[in-house]
Amino acid sequence: MNKYKYDISIIIPVYNNENYIDECMHSIINQNFNLNRIQIILINDGSKDNSLNVMKKYKRKNILIIDKENTGVSDTRNIGMKKAEGKYILFLDSDDTLSKNTCRELFNLFEKYYDEIDLITYPIIYNINGKLKSHFRYKRLYTNGTGVYDLNENYNLIQTTVNIIIKNNFENNLMFDINQNFSEDERFATEILMKKRKIGFCEEATYYYRRHVGTANDTIANAYYTFENITSYYEYLFKKYEENNKIPKYIQTLYINNIRWRLIQNAFYPYHYEKREYEKALKRIKNLIKKIDVDVVLSLPYSKFHKFYILKLQGKNPIVEVGKKGKYKIICDENIVDEEDGIKSVVNKFKIRDNKIILNGDFLTLAFEIEKPIIYLTTVDKNNNKTTKQIDTYVTNNSYYQCDTKTNTIYGYKLNIDLNSIKEFKLYAELKKVKVPINFKFNRFSSRKIYKSNIRVAYSKKRFVITKNSIYFKIKDGIKNLIVYMIKNPKIILNRLLAKTYIKNKEIWLYTDKSGLFDNAYIQFKHDILKNDGIKRYYVYNESFDKIKDKFTKEERKKLVKFKSIKHKRLYLRCDKILSSFSDLQVYCPFNSKIKWYADIINYDFIYLQHGILHANLIKMYSKEFTQIDKFVISSNFEEQNLISNYNYDKEDFIKTGMPRMSLENNKIKQKNKILYAPSWRQYLIGNLVNNKRKLKTNIFLNSTYFKEIYAFLHSKELQEFLEKNDYKLDFKLHPIFKDYSHLFELRNVKNIEISFGKTKIEEYKIFITDFSSFQFDFVKLKRPIIYFVPDMVEFKAGLHTYRELDLKYEDAFGKLCLDSKDLLNEIKRIDKNNCKIDSKYLKRMDKFFLDIKNPCDEIYNELIK
């Protein structure tokens, strides 16, 4: 008698997924497989929405509905396995789907290789907000297609997700570890696979995985939540499967994979640990890494820079070998780490300014990790005389390679080459006393050819050649471009032609702020538009005209341009300057990532007006290597020092005038007995921005230290008594991103405290409370007492927000740091008792902070006209 009632049991845990259950179920019902031979086990894991009622619609003989309290996905799957009556068990999440032939193909493959394997995997395709993306492992590593793979030989075929089907061994089934809070799918699959060390692969089936960007799962991988659990898990695996002091390569690969993706997501290191605890954590990491074979590290299809980083963590010392023609190899323990025919340089900036060629870039090579770079510039003048000199290099912030951890040492260069005296130039490196060529690649902001008036500078055959932009070159370059653009997208040709039809007889300046904001660009535009200097000025807006028209006079409205309109595109490609309070490309560029198709005809200077003083550590956002900022408007000595030492700017990159909005300050507004509390938002407590909306994480927000401590402070009886006794009012200015959480603070009937989101007359307030909001600098200028309140400091240090460090450290800032509501209240009382006078050490810092600023708008204008 057949002990299996069904061919396949599909286990579907459900938790608050009412909107996706139907789609999930239809993908099963529509399988080209006998539905009566499929058992579907739907398990409601304590959903609080309408999921259970949706599930009940599908109840029938072979569909089992289970309702239980919330215990988590692992326990839910275990319950499902205990109820499974099929020969094979397939796992499916309730917001995911299967391709039509999945059950048939998986069943047939298992039947064919039943004795050889215990688990089959199949391709997973990620559905990220409607965009489908295949996982590289299934496209590139299963090179023989459908079949059985030996994991001792194909150890990089690691299985970390639940797109699997397994044998049903009933009471002998392996269960999910309910104590594993992350990578539970990986652990389950690994324990099964290590028995036979073989895996089945079915190319013809597909698992469609719906990834919800901006949900509660976005930050759960962070080391703050997972470090202990994950590290203990890999220590357990290494110990369990160690054989003759060697770890199976499959297990090694699992850990390397874990390191790599966590590095990229900035979720690997437990930065929130104190120094001694952190050092212990590093030791545990290195103890695991030292057990990994070099050939395993090098065999994985990851970036060579991250492979090199892992070798360094192992304590390895790779060497460089250079051939006669400059071809070099990086070798570690007789394994080739990398080999190249020349040094790769990525050009970040290639422009002509003031009769000089500006050439900035990075050397993306592992050779300079071992040997410090020696780079030479050779120029040929118009009389064919050659001159060679060594140039300076510096460590760039590309050393934070694809992550927020400094993984490598990548060098760069900044060159200003006189255009008038030479006809060509080139760079080369010296490595082990051998001349090595440099191969230039151009990023999306730069082009192999640049033009200025009748001058053409083009990179060809490893050299830069300067010629007149003759009719010959115009036709030659035009035909080449035409062919490329016709293949890529004919719209590129249209946009380029439209730009050329714009008769440019005057300079063009564009001003832009982020959608919904009227910031420094708006203020500067209102100032500059009054100048009768022959410059054409336009303000670029990104909302409906009716919403914004009242912000402008009748004459100014004639100079408004809709973002991404045809006129905006034409102006963008022909403009001389862009003044923006935001440096994000999508804010000011109508082509966004497609800008590379116009890099050769773009010739503007980007003036970054800022929208607040940069004081948080945002190297990957603002470093010179990663932006197109030509001039950076600054307001303080701190910014100048910080941007030079941490962000690789030079003194000549700054406009030291202060932000335009400082022209509007009104110090005549009378102080009142008012306290302003303006905490910043937190990335880990709300979803990412998708289609201009953020998904709320209400339960996570309510259970956070951030909310609990702020709530405790605002509802403190002691605070109420203090405010009433001293006739104070407290305005709670919650960040606009958290506006939909405002009702949770329950302040409607609390005396003397109001919640606000609109514009604030900061001059009215005697005391300011914040965590790291740039509002603090307005109070520095006013010289008012500041208190820093960071109740979630541990979470902040862990990197759960968009950054985890401040460039302006709290110990160097302008007030006391409080970590709980009680300490905050005591500090408010102390300041009040001292008649709101600022402590002398903080006052000295405030006095020295700002540059001597008189009228920023005038001074910015004058600097740009120069």
Side-chain angles (χ1 to χ4, degrees):
M1 183 179 173
N2 191 343
K3 63 177 178 179
Y4 306 111
K5 191 172 179 181
Y6 301 97
D7 291 332
I8 298 175
S9 292
I10 301 178
I11 298 171
I12 308 174
V14 180
Y15 180 71
N16 292 346
N17 264 328
E18 60 180 342
N19 295 327
Y20 302 106
I21 296 169
D22 286 337
E23 192 177 351
C24 174
M25 288 298 295
H26 289 162
S27 79
I28 300 171
I29 292 167
N30 293 327
Q31 289 288 305
N32 53 13
F33 192 81
N34 186 348
L35 189 60
N36 293 323
R37 299 300 302 156
I38 298 175
Q39 178 191 27
I40 303 170
I41 305 172
L42 279 163
I43 311 169
N44 182 41
D45 186 28
S47 296
K48 295 176 182 176
D49 63 0
N50 197 41
S51 291
L52 183 59
N53 289 330
V54 177
M55 292 160 60
K56 285 178 179 177
K57 293 191 308 183
Y58 294 97
K59 190 169 184 180
R60 51 182 283 183
K61 185 179 179 182
N62 64 329
I63 300 178
L64 179 62
I65 309 290
I66 299 173
D67 184 29
K68 68 177 190 65
E69 292 183 0
N70 179 254
T71 56
V73 67
S74 291
D75 185 54
T76 303
R77 286 175 182 155
N78 289 344
I79 289 170
M81 281 196 283
K82 290 171 184 175
K83 297 289 185 180
E85 298 178 272
K87 187 174 184 180
Y88 305 110
I89 297 174
L90 184 148
F91 301 97
L92 179 64
D93 288 342
S94 58
D95 51 354
D96 300 336
T97 58
L98 303 172
S99 63
K100 194 172 183 178
N101 55 347
T102 294
C103 290
R104 183 189 68 192
E105 298 298 337
L106 292 176
F107 179 80
N108 289 342
L109 188 64
F110 233 140
E111 292 289 287
K112 183 177 180 180
Y113 296 109
Y114 188 86
D115 294 330
E116 291 185 54
I117 52 176
D118 296 323
L119 179 150
I120 294 174
T121 187
Y122 53 109
I124 188 168
I125 293 181
Y126 296 100
N127 181 342
I128 305 172
N129 294 323
K131 292 183 180 179
L132 301 181
K133 183 180 179 182
S134 299
H135 193 288
F136 78 91
R137 190 175 297 126
Y138 303 98
K139 288 201 306 184
R140 291 168 54 192
L141 301 185
Y142 284 97
T143 52
N144 295 326
T146 297
V148 176
Y149 291 78
D150 190 316
L151 295 177
N152 290 319
E153 299 170 6
N154 302 282
Y155 49 82
N156 53 6
L157 298 179
I158 54 174
Q159 186 62 37
T160 61
T161 44
V162 79
N163 53 317
I164 57 175
I165 185 169
I166 62 171
K167 292 175 181 175
N168 186 1
N169 294 317
F170 295 98
E171 66 274 4
N172 296 319
N173 278 330
L174 177 76
M175 295 291 165
F176 285 85
D177 188 335
I178 61 172
N179 296 314
Q180 182 95 18
N181 69 355
F182 207 85
S183 294
E184 65 276 6
D185 299 348
E186 177 189 304
R187 181 171 188 155
F188 179 77
T190 300
E191 299 276 15
I192 293 173
L193 290 170
M194 289 305 289
K195 291 176 182 176
K196 291 181 177 173
R197 306 203 180 180
K198 288 185 178 181
I199 189 169
F201 173 65
C202 183
E203 191 172 30
E204 295 77 17
T206 309
Y207 187 110
Y208 292 100
Y209 176 88
R210 191 188 305 272
R211 185 165 175 229
H212 303 279
V213 177
T215 63
N217 292 323
D218 281 353
T219 55
I220 204 169
N222 190 281
Y224 174 79
Y225 301 107
T226 63
F227 180 78
E228 287 299 326
N229 197 283
I230 287 293
T231 307
S232 296
Y233 159 59
Y234 285 110
E235 287 169 341
Y236 155 78
L237 281 185
F238 276 42
K239 186 176 180 181
K240 179 174 181 178
Y241 295 108
E242 189 170 3
E243 301 159 345
N244 301 318
N245 295 318
K246 290 287 288 180
I247 311 299
K249 290 186 177 184
Y250 181 85
I251 302 295
Q252 294 181 38
T253 306
L254 282 173
Y255 188 52
I256 294 293
N257 177 68
N258 178 271
I259 294 173
R260 194 258 179 179
W261 74 259
R262 284 176 184 275
L263 272 176
I264 290 172
Q265 291 192 15
N266 304 305
F268 182 59
Y269 288 110
Y271 291 114
H272 57 293
Y273 282 178
E274 294 301 326
K275 186 178 179 182
R276 189 173 291 181
E277 194 179 8
Y278 185 76
E279 287 171 356
K280 285 181 182 177
L282 280 184
K283 191 174 180 181
R284 291 174 69 187
I285 290 168
K286 288 180 179 179
N287 284 342
L288 288 169
I289 288 176
K290 284 176 183 176
K291 295 180 179 181
I292 294 171
D293 300 335
V294 171
D295 64 324
V296 171
V297 176
L298 300 179
S299 70
L300 300 177
Y302 304 145
S303 159
K304 64 184 180 183
F305 292 98
H306 287 165
K307 292 177 186 178
F308 194 89
Y309 177 62
I310 291 167
L311 294 178
K312 287 193 295 183
L313 288 176
Q314 288 183 317
K316 301 291 183 183
N317 293 302
I319 61 169
V320 183
E321 290 183 358
V322 189
K324 287 182 180 179
K325 291 184 179 180
K327 184 172 182 177
Y328 64 90
K329 295 179 181 178
I330 312 291
I331 296 172
C332 181
D333 293 356
E334 300 182 351
N335 295 278
I336 296 175
V337 179
D338 188 31
E339 53 185 332
E340 296 280 352
D341 285 326
I343 303 293
K344 181 183 176 183
S345 170
V346 173
V347 175
N348 303 321
K349 188 172 288 188
F350 185 30
K351 288 185 176 183
I352 299 173
R353 290 291 181 272
D354 301 325
N355 289 317
K356 288 186 177 179
I357 298 167
I358 298 171
L359 183 67
N360 299 346
D362 295 337
F363 296 114
L364 292 186
T365 175
L366 295 177
F368 293 162
E369 297 263 7
I370 303 163
E371 301 282 336
K372 197 169 180 181
I374 301 172
I375 308 295
Y376 291 98
L377 168 68
T378 295
T379 58
V380 179
D381 67 19
K382 291 172 182 177
N383 296 317
N384 291 323
N385 297 313
K386 284 187 180 181
T387 304
T388 299
K389 66 175 183 178
Q390 187 174 344
I391 65 166
D392 294 330
T393 59
Y394 69 102
V395 177
T396 83
N397 284 323
N398 251 325
S399 301
Y400 294 82
Y401 195 76
Q402 296 180 351
C403 63
D404 286 345
T405 298
K406 189 174 180 181
T407 53
N408 300 88
T409 306
I410 292 175
Y411 289 86
Y413 54 93
K414 302 172 188 174
L415 294 176
N416 291 329
I417 302 167
D418 193 342
L419 185 63
N420 295 324
S421 60
I422 62 169
K423 67 177 186 179
E424 69 175 69
F425 66 93
K426 66 178 180 179
L427 294 174
Y428 69 88
E430 188 180 284
L431 202 56
K432 296 280 188 180
K433 297 186 178 179
V434 177
K435 188 175 178 179
V436 178
I438 293 174
N439 303 316
F440 288 91
K441 303 288 182 184
F442 295 80
N443 73 4
R444 63 182 175 175
F445 299 108
S446 54
S447 170
R448 298 171 72 90
K449 304 179 192 76
I450 54 173
Y451 311 88
K452 184 75 171 180
S453 299
N454 65 336
I455 299 295
R456 174 183 184 268
V457 186
Y459 173 68
S460 176
K461 297 178 181 178
K462 296 184 171 59
R463 63 190 180 128
F464 294 84
V465 180
I466 301 152
T467 58
K468 285 188 176 181
N469 190 21
S470 64
I471 295 293
Y472 166 76
F473 283 121
K474 286 179 181 177
I475 294 171
K476 182 184 173 185
D477 293 345
I479 291 171
K480 273 188 178 179
N481 289 341
L482 189 65
I483 294 168
V484 173
Y485 303 147
M486 280 299 291
I487 295 168
K488 288 291 179 184
N489 188 344
K491 279 186 180 179
I492 299 168
I493 300 170
L494 180 62
N495 288 326
R496 291 171 70 95
L497 287 173
L498 280 170
K500 287 186 179 181
T501 62
Y502 193 95
I503 299 170
K504 185 181 173 185
N505 53 10
K506 294 182 179 179
E507 268 203 61
I508 298 169
W509 292 12
L510 301 182
Y511 301 72
T512 181
D513 293 304
K514 196 172 268 189
S515 177
L517 298 176
F518 292 92
D519 210 311
N520 285 311
Y522 168 77
I523 296 165
Q524 191 67 38
F525 170 75
K526 300 276 277 187
H527 171 274
D528 294 355
I529 199 72
L530 301 174
K531 303 291 182 181
N532 187 21
D533 53 12
I535 296 171
K536 290 189 170 186
R537 295 181 168 86
Y538 301 90
Y539 186 84
V540 181
Y541 67 96
N542 195 11
E543 293 184 271
S544 70
F545 181 77
D546 288 340
K547 266 189 177 181
I548 60 105
K549 65 180 181 181
D550 292 340
K551 292 277 185 182
F552 300 89
T553 66
K554 187 177 179 181
E555 286 303 308
E556 288 168 352
R557 287 174 199 162
K558 296 175 184 177
K559 299 297 181 180
L560 297 182
V561 179
K562 177 74 172 173
F563 184 71
K564 284 192 176 182
S565 64
I566 291 174
K567 187 174 182 179
H568 181 212
K569 290 175 181 178
R570 290 173 72 195
L571 289 169
Y572 176 85
L573 295 173
R574 300 287 279 169
C575 73
D576 299 275
K577 286 180 175 56
I578 293 177
L579 291 80
S580 178
S581 48
F582 294 85
S583 65
D584 319 55
L585 185 66
Q586 63 267 28
V587 170
Y588 65 87
C589 175
F591 305 106
N592 205 348
S593 60
K594 294 183 178 68
I595 190 176
K596 63 182 178 181
W597 303 117
Y598 309 97
D600 61 319
I601 59 172
I602 288 170
N603 200 28
Y604 59 76
D605 288 319
F606 182 70
I607 318 301
Y608 181 42
L609 299 171
Q610 295 206 72
H611 51 279
I613 289 174
L614 175 62
H615 66 292
N617 189 266
L618 292 166
I619 282 173
K620 299 292 286 197
M621 190 179 294
Y622 290 112
S623 278
K624 190 162 185 173
E625 297 86 354
F626 308 127
T627 76
Q628 283 303 292
I629 295 171
D630 292 293
K631 293 292 181 182
F632 208 121
V633 174
I634 60 171
S635 312
S636 64
N637 292 313
F638 159 76
E639 288 169 279
E640 182 175 22
Q641 294 161 8
N642 183 40
L643 288 165
I644 289 172
S645 59
N646 293 323
Y647 295 81
N648 292 325
Y649 288 89
D650 301 300
K651 284 197 171 186
E652 57 267 26
D653 295 328
F654 304 127
I655 297 177
K656 298 164 68 172
T657 59
M659 292 179 288
R661 70 166 176 254
M662 290 182 173
S663 299
L664 306 180
E665 288 174 349
N666 184 359
N667 290 321
K668 295 178 182 178
I669 296 175
K670 190 177 178 182
Q671 277 191 58
K672 298 179 181 178
N673 267 17
K674 293 176 75 176
I675 299 169
L676 179 63
Y677 176 28
S680 192
W681 68 293
R682 300 293 193 273
Q683 185 183 50
Y684 70 102
L685 297 179
I686 197 163
N688 294 333
L689 194 63
V690 178
N691 297 325
N692 285 325
K693 289 185 179 180
R694 292 181 183 271
K695 189 165 183 177
L696 300 182
K697 301 179 181 179
T698 304
N699 288 335
I700 291 174
F701 185 82
L702 285 169
N703 289 310
S704 67
T705 308
Y706 174 90
F707 170 76
K708 288 177 180 177
E709 282 293 326
I710 292 175
Y711 186 93
F713 167 67
L714 295 174
H715 287 268
S716 162
K717 188 177 178 183
E718 202 174 343
L719 174 65
Q720 308 297 324
E721 290 172 353
F722 167 79
L723 294 174
E724 192 164 347
K725 181 181 176 183
N726 297 281
D727 194 28
Y728 270 103
K729 289 195 179 297
L730 186 146
D731 283 347
F732 178 47
K733 191 174 178 64
L734 194 61
H735 196 283
I737 290 175
F738 277 178
K739 188 172 184 178
D740 289 338
Y741 290 144
S742 59
H743 66 285
L744 300 174
F745 289 93
E746 300 175 338
L747 293 174
R748 186 171 291 177
N749 298 316
V750 178
K751 283 186 178 180
N752 301 314
I753 297 178
E754 287 188 7
I755 194 162
S756 69
F757 296 97
K759 281 193 172 182
T760 304
K761 294 179 180 177
I762 61 169
E763 296 84 358
E764 291 183 348
Y765 296 95
K766 284 189 173 181
I767 301 172
F768 178 58
I769 307 165
T770 189
D771 37 29
F772 34 76
S773 168
S774 59
F775 255 131
Q776 65 182 292
F777 300 107
D778 295 286
F779 285 87
V780 169
K781 197 142 185 42
L782 291 170
K783 295 186 174 61
R784 305 277 171 85
I786 297 171
I787 309 171
Y788 299 99
F789 178 41
V790 191
D792 58 340
M793 181 62 84
V794 176
E795 291 90 333
F796 175 71
K797 285 182 177 179
L800 295 180
H801 189 40
T802 52
Y803 45 86
R804 56 181 173 80
E805 290 182 86
L806 300 176
D807 290 332
L808 180 61
K809 309 296 182 190
Y810 285 114
E811 54 266 30
D812 300 321
F814 312 102
K816 182 181 175 182
L817 171 63
C818 300
L819 299 177
D820 60 58
S821 54
K822 187 176 181 181
D823 195 21
L824 171 60
L825 188 53
N826 288 337
E827 181 63 5
I828 293 171
K829 288 180 177 180
R830 186 191 71 80
I831 289 171
D832 175 67
K833 196 173 181 180
N834 197 31
N835 295 318
C836 293
K837 289 181 181 177
I838 302 170
D839 294 357
S840 59
K841 69 174 180 178
Y842 301 133
L843 187 59
K844 284 178 184 177
R845 292 174 189 173
M846 290 179 176
D847 287 337
K848 292 191 299 181
F849 189 77
F850 282 101
L851 299 166
D852 185 16
I853 298 166
K854 293 180 176 63
N855 191 319
C857 283
D858 277 348
E859 292 183 36
I860 290 170
Y861 172 80
N862 292 333
E863 284 290 324
L864 296 181
I865 288 294
K866 275 191 229 177

